[in-house]
Amino acid sequence: MAISTADLYDENRDVQVAEPVLKHFGRKTAFGGEVATVHLYEDNVLMRDKLATSGNGRVLVVDGGGSTWCALLGDRMAQRAIDHGWSGVIINGCVRDSKELAKLDVGVMALATSPRKSRKNGVGAVDVPVTMAGCLIEPGDFLYADEDGIIVSDHDLLS
């Protein structure tokens, strides 16, 4: 799937454009698809469980509250996303194992890195509206990311 957020924006001015606060960490820098969401804070159990389900080319958007205390995703969880067919993971929080993430063929965007593991209590919510980088993102929206940024639409812009 060839994605150009600039071109998609030019053709669809009614989309949301995310604030440029997230960085690429995965090898795949252009990706997109239907959105699934997780809302959590410094606890990645619900994200891990969601990535163990069939992704069908979707993008998992994780609102981690912008915490930089710990990482919510590392190389093993990114591999889980690949194994289950997720196009990418967008995280309002941190990742770890960044050198390994850069080798994996999945889109990963996050605020920064942290070596610290997250808590494992299973607290949070799945498939709920989340707010990230100035965008209100709902399950079933469509998200597209590339080197120019992230756009979000309530409908598929590539069909």
Side-chain angles (χ1 to χ4, degrees):
M1 164 182 357
I3 293 176
S4 166
T5 57
D7 290 345
L8 288 173
Y9 176 80
D10 288 347
E11 297 165 5
N12 304 278
R13 297 286 174 111
D14 60 338
V15 299
Q16 297 180 76
V17 177
E19 296 168 359
V21 295
L22 301 172
K23 303 172 194 172
H24 286 277
F25 291 97
R27 187 173 80 197
K28 187 184 289 186
T29 56
F31 60 96
E34 187 174 355
V35 168
T37 63
V38 177
H39 185 271
L40 48 80
Y41 190 75
E42 298 176 356
D43 180 336
N44 70 356
V45 171
L46 294 178
M47 179 176 72
R48 180 193 66 207
D49 293 348
K50 189 69 173 179
L51 289 174
T53 66
S54 180
N56 295 319
R58 292 179 296 165
V59 176
L60 183 61
V61 177
V62 180
D63 181 0
S67 173
T68 56
W69 181 80
C70 66
L72 296 173
L73 179 135
D75 60 339
R76 286 189 228 162
M77 200 170 307
Q79 185 62 54
R80 179 180 293 222
I82 293 167
D83 293 344
H84 290 90
W86 292 86
S87 173
V89 183
I90 306 283
I91 302 171
N92 186 20
C94 290
V95 298
R96 58 189 256 157
D97 306 317
S98 61
K99 287 174 85 173
E100 294 304 313
L101 290 177
K103 299 174 188 174
L104 296 176
D105 193 29
V106 65
V108 175
M109 294 182 75
L111 293 173
T113 59
S114 173
R116 185 180 289 129
K117 288 184 177 183
S118 75
R119 295 181 177 104
K120 309 289 185 216
N121 298 318
V123 176
V126 177
D127 296 325
V128 295
V130 297
T131 302
M132 180 184 313
C135 295
L136 174 61
I137 305 170
E138 301 192 38
D141 282 350
F142 287 80
L143 182 145
Y144 307 94
D146 67 4
E147 297 85 348
D148 290 329
I150 299 170
I151 60 172
V152 180
S153 173
D154 63 2
H155 61 279
D156 188 353
L157 301 178
L158 299 178
S159 63

